[in-house]
Amino acid sequence: MAVAFIACRSVTRTHRVAQALKEAGFNAHPKRLPATSPGSGCGHSVQIEQSKLHDAMALLKEAGFDEVTALCRKTDGELEPCP
Amino acid sequence: MIYLDNAATTLKKPPEVARAMQQALESCGGAGRGGHQAAVAAENILYQCRQDAADIFHMENPERVILTCNATHALNIAIHALAKPGYRTVISGFEHNAVYRPLMALHAGGVQTTVVPTPLFEPEMALHLFEEALSKDNVCLAVCIHVSNVFGYILPVERIAEICRSKGIPMIVDASQSAGILPIRGDSYPVWCMPGHKGLYGPQGTGLLLVPPGMPLEPFMHGGTGGNSQSTEMPAFLPDRLEAGTHNAPGIAGLSAGIRHVLKQNGNPWPGLPLLQQAANMLSVIPGLRVFSSPRLFCQTGVVSFVRMGMESEMVSGLLGEQGIAVRGGMHCAPLAHKTAETDKHGTVRVGLSQYNTLKDIQLLVKALRRI
């Protein structure tokens, strides 16, 4: 199963986002990332099935969660913003 | 021991508080400091506590719940962020040293302080005097204690907040004696500061700062937050902006359990109010005692203070202590309140109740007092 990551600005925001997604029926849980963006240092995210990412992002947008970024794995394992 | 010093710290806690702390101590690493199980366990505890606080204080967003070491820490964050050099901070005449000392320390930097001489148990007068003081030029901040830690006097903070809001003046409320006892709306206008170890039944070393929407606060402490580590500055967002360093996860787990215990009471009025009324009545009939209580306790909760004529309050509390009654005598870290109520010469003996006290405790206090 391919997974994607929804990068959040803080660990608290990560938990809020994960909770909102879980309540909507998504299989989502907090996951630490090497970085949320280049040069930012370590960061926090919510892991989710990549196939559900579009719906999840739409839900988060509707719920007013700003500053969240969808990240997918490149073939070399690095993360990049999802297309 | 009959413990009646709950205004300082509630000693008896719900059993789930110690259980939660023990469990956290054995399972938690540093929250946000790793992706491993122990770090995640700590993160979950912190988030649960923020959510519990958001629930009990009717807040939409748990990210505005800042975890602090105590009320003093929370007050220092808020005061240092909002008191401006060259401007005036207006405070009540009942403030604790947790408010007064930070403001006096800032005085050298140009922060001026106006004490509103609010008489005891006269909330309408307090409101009027606050309005007058807030109408003067150059006011940048108001700070008001919700319930006096010496007299249990409930100040009209919500109405003072409305005046502040209408004038665009930020306000800080010291909710040390009211959190868990009186209704508090964390999303309302003021910044709310409170300890975890009193009416919320958490352990010592915990506290909360509730930041309302649209109230930017500068960090008081700077340090690691577990994220954005390449940046030399504290994050711009809450709660990270105001929380530097490793959290007290076991303490926060205990606080969370304490809050959930209070939440289970479904917002019912503090069950100790009839007991406080009984205590005030029973103390009032002891010869030589002056008891500070408002008529029918219309603006009082949690605490009743008294003085024994001709005796130092510290001595009275010491003699009660010898009989197994734990009360506090003296200034209660609030010399300003004593000055306002003109009890600054000998202080007062303070009886602070919690939901675990009973009528029998008061009867034993009265019996002991009659022996002095």
Side-chain angles (χ1 to χ4, degrees), chain B residues 11-241:
Chain B
L11 179 63
K12 185 169 167 56
K13 313 283 187 188
E16 54 267 33
V17 170
R19 278 201 298 270
M21 292 179 72
Q22 175 82 27
Q23 198 177 6
L25 198 60
E26 291 170 355
S27 62
C28 284
R33 269 60 172 178
H36 51 76
Q37 200 178 339
V40 172
E43 286 173 18
N44 288 338
I45 280 168
L46 267 55
Y47 186 67
Q48 182 65 53
C49 186
R50 292 186 213 279
Q51 254 202 328
D52 292 334
D55 283 350
I56 198 168
F57 299 122
H58 312 283
M59 296 174 76
E60 203 172 297
N61 184 353
E63 290 172 88
R64 298 193 163 278
V65 175
I66 311 302
L67 303 168
T68 65
C69 301
N70 45 47
T72 301
H73 180 202
L75 284 161
N76 269 270
I77 293 172
I79 288 170
H80 280 261
L82 297 172
K84 305 287 180 215
Y87 290 84
R88 192 160 284 281
T89 296
V90 172
I91 66 173
S92 84
F94 290 92
E95 298 309 311
H96 189 277
N97 274 343
V99 167
Y100 199 46
R101 282 183 174 170
L103 285 170
M104 290 303 102
L106 289 168
H107 181 74
V111 171
Q112 301 158 46
T113 301
T114 297
V115 180
V116 178
T118 41
L120 186 59
F121 300 134
E122 291 194 38
E124 290 302 323
M125 178 68 83
L127 196 65
H128 170 72
L129 292 169
F130 254 97
E131 185 157 29
E132 213 171 71
L134 291 167
S135 298
K136 292 190 175 148
D137 288 341
N138 243 16
V139 177
C140 68
L141 173 65
V143 189
C144 191
I145 197 163
H146 197 181
V147 174
S148 163
N149 68 307
V150 181
F151 300 103
Y153 169 30
I154 305 170
L155 282 104
V157 291
E158 290 90 355
R159 292 162 73 194
I160 294 169
E162 281 310 309
I163 299 169
C164 287
R165 185 204 292 267
S166 71
K167 295 180 183 301
I169 299 168
M171 181 179 177
I172 300 167
V173 177
D174 175 359
S176 292
Q177 299 297 332
S178 59
I181 292 171
L182 295 178
I184 287 172
R185 302 202 74 85
D187 278 343
S188 63
Y189 186 72
V191 176
W192 296 85
C193 303
M194 61 191 70
H197 63 98
K198 298 186 184 188
L200 295 175
Y201 294 96
Q204 296 94 324
T206 59
L208 298 171
L209 170 67
L210 311 181
V211 184
M215 184 68 72
L217 294 181
E218 290 301 307
F220 181 60
M221 281 170 61
H222 301 252
T225 55
N228 300 312
S229 304
Q230 303 267 28
S231 171
T232 56
E233 294 176 2
M234 290 295 282
F237 45 82
L238 297 176
D240 299 34
R241 184 160 184 76

